[in-house]
Amino acid sequence: MILKVYTSLLLLFFINSVWSRTVRQIYDDLDPDHWSHYTSECPQECSCLPSFPNALYCDNKGLKEIPPIPARIWYLYLQNNQIETLSEKPFMNATHLRWINLNKNKITNGGIENGVLSKLKRLLYLFLEDNELEEVPSPLPVSLEQLRLARNKISRIPEGVFSHLENLTLLDLHHNSLLDSALQSDTFQGLNNLMQLNIAKNSLKKMPLSIPANTLQLFLDNNSIEVIPENYFSAIPKVTFLRLNYNKLSDDGIPPNGFNVSSILDLQLSHNQLTKIPPINAHLEHLHLDHNKIKSVNGTQICPVSIALEEDYGYYGNVPRLRYLRLDGNEIQPPIPLDIMICFRLLQAVVI
C-alpha cells in the first residue's frame, strides 16, 4: 500500500521534470534559420525568446486584453496584467496550448466567453489565481491535469463542472469564499484521478462530502471545522497527507479512532482546541499538534502498539514509524516522558 502511495507521489512531483526534458529536446531540434519567422509573428506587446520558441511571455506588461497567440505556442504567460476578459478570438490559432498562466489579473466570470476554455483541447495546466472569479469557470477542457483557482471570490461550484475532468490530478480552491452548502455530494464527481485537493482558507464548518477516492493530499487548514464524522476516511483510503491546522477541533469532535488510519503518514492538527493526543496509527510518520490545549503526554496511552510487545519483537515487530512530533504551544512541561521514547523508537525530532 505504502509503495503504491509513494509511486503515485513520485509521478505527481516529477512530471514537470520529465515534461521539461521533452521540451528541451524540441528546442534543441529547432533550426536557428527559422527564428526570423518566429519573431515576425511574435505580438509586439510580448517577448519571444529564441531559447524557448514554444513560449510566449506577456507577463507584467500592463495588458488589458490578450493579444493574438501564434499557433506554435505551448506555454503562455499572462500573469500580472489588467486583463478582464477571455474571448475566443486571441486563441483561434493556438491549438497546441498546454499551459496558461493568468494569475493576478481582473478576470470575472462574466468576462469569460462561453466555451472559450473548453475549446483548448490540449490544455494541461490552467492558472487563474488572484482574479475576481465568483464561481468555478465552465465548461473546462477535458484534458486538464491541474486547475489552480486560489485567492478568488469563489462561493459557488456549478453542478457537473468537474464531471468530465478525469485527467485532473490537482485542484486548488484555497483562499476563496466556499461555504458547506457549496460542496454537495456530487460536486467532485468525475475526478477519478485527483491526487491533491486544497480547500484551505474557506468558510467550511464541516468536512466536505464525497472527496474523490484516489485523493492523496487533502488540505483543509484555516476553516471552522468542528467535527470529523465517524469512518470519514474509509471513503478516501489512499489519503497520505492531511492538514487540518487552524480549525475548531476539540476532543469531542473526533471519533475514538478518527485518525487511526493506516494510509495517513503526515497529520497536521496545529492550532485547534485539543486537550489530548488522539489515537494514531503505527504507520504515521509526522504529527503536528502544536498550539492546542494539551497539558500532559502519556506515552503508554498514545502508543499505537503495546510497549511490552514492542520490546519483545524489537525492530522486527510492528514498531511505530513516528519520526517527527511537534507539541510546542501547549501546556506541556519538559522533559519528554521516557515512555514516549520507548514507544516511538524512530523519533528523530520532538518539539515541546
Side-chain angles (χ1 to χ4, degrees), residues 305-322:
V305 300
S306 168
I307 290 181
L309 289 175
E310 190 177 346
E311 290 176 345
D312 290 339
Y313 291 103
Y315 286 102
Y316 299 100
N318 191 25
V319 175
R321 300 177 185 176
L322 194 68

Side-chain angles (χ1 to χ4, degrees), residues 27-47:
Y27 297 157
D28 291 341
D29 294 337
L30 182 69
D31 186 348
D33 294 336
H34 294 165
W35 181 243
S36 59
H37 167 68
Y38 289 137
T39 54
S40 66
E41 64 176 10
C42 183
Q44 62 179 1
E45 307 96 329
C46 306
S47 300

Side-chain angles (χ1 to χ4, degrees), residues 100-331:
I100 299 178
N101 189 334
L102 278 159
N103 291 346
K104 296 186 177 180
N105 278 282
K106 296 183 177 181
I107 299 169
T108 63
N109 290 95
I112 301 177
E113 185 177 330
N114 187 39
V116 61
L117 294 173
S118 62
K119 292 178 181 178
L120 301 174
K121 303 296 186 181
R122 301 185 182 185
L123 192 64
L124 301 178
Y125 300 88
L126 178 58
F127 294 11
L128 280 165
E129 299 178 343
D130 295 284
N131 276 278
E132 303 293 329
L133 298 174
E134 295 184 350
E135 64 179 51
V136 175
S138 65
L140 293 164
V142 297
S143 54
L144 269 189
E145 293 182 3
Q146 291 192 15
L147 177 59
R148 298 178 182 265
L149 298 169
R151 293 177 299 278
N152 276 275
K153 301 176 182 179
I154 296 173
S155 61
R156 181 175 176 270
I157 301 178
E159 184 177 356
V161 66
F162 301 128
S163 60
H164 300 295
L165 302 187
E166 293 188 358
N167 296 310
L168 200 70
T169 60
L170 184 150
L171 175 58
D172 191 345
L173 288 163
H174 89 271
H175 212 305
N176 276 286
S177 303
L178 292 171
L179 299 170
D180 296 317
S181 58
L183 304 181
Q184 301 298 315
S185 59
D186 60 350
T187 295
F188 301 113
Q189 184 175 347
L191 298 179
N192 299 327
N193 290 297
L194 194 71
M195 300 173 69
Q196 183 185 113
L197 177 59
N198 191 341
I199 325 179
K201 292 191 176 182
N202 277 279
S203 300
L204 304 180
K205 293 183 178 180
K206 300 177 181 178
M207 295 291 285
L209 301 171
S210 301
I211 299 297
N214 285 319
T215 303
L216 297 176
Q217 302 176 343
L218 179 58
F219 303 150
L220 292 163
D221 315 76
N222 292 90
N223 280 285
S224 298
I225 297 171
E226 299 179 356
V227 176
I228 306 295
E230 190 82 33
N231 300 318
Y232 181 84
F233 299 105
S234 62
I236 42 176
K238 298 181 181 180
V239 63
T240 305
F241 298 90
L242 177 61
R243 292 196 335 214
L244 280 159
N245 303 319
Y246 291 95
N247 276 283
K248 297 182 179 180
L249 290 171
S250 64
D251 301 328
D252 294 336
I254 300 175
N257 285 295
F259 294 119
N260 188 0
V261 180
S262 61
S263 65
I264 299 178
L265 304 182
D266 190 298
L267 176 59
Q268 299 190 20
L269 297 168
S270 304
H271 294 271
N272 277 279
Q273 300 172 11
L274 303 175
T275 64
K276 59 184 179 182
I277 298 178
I280 60 174
N281 194 271
H283 291 93
L284 187 68
E285 296 183 1
H286 295 85
L287 178 59
H288 298 246
L289 284 165
D290 55 287
H291 297 90
N292 276 274
K293 299 179 180 180
I294 301 170
K295 295 183 179 180
S296 63
V297 181
N298 187 313
T300 303
Q301 291 180 355
I302 68 171
C303 193
V305 300
S306 168
I307 290 181
L309 289 175
E310 190 177 346
E311 290 176 345
D312 290 339
Y313 291 103
Y315 286 102
Y316 299 100
N318 191 25
V319 175
R321 300 177 185 176
L322 194 68
R323 289 172 167 79
Y324 180 88
L325 176 60
R326 184 170 177 182
L327 291 166
D328 56 304
N330 284 283
E331 300 176 30

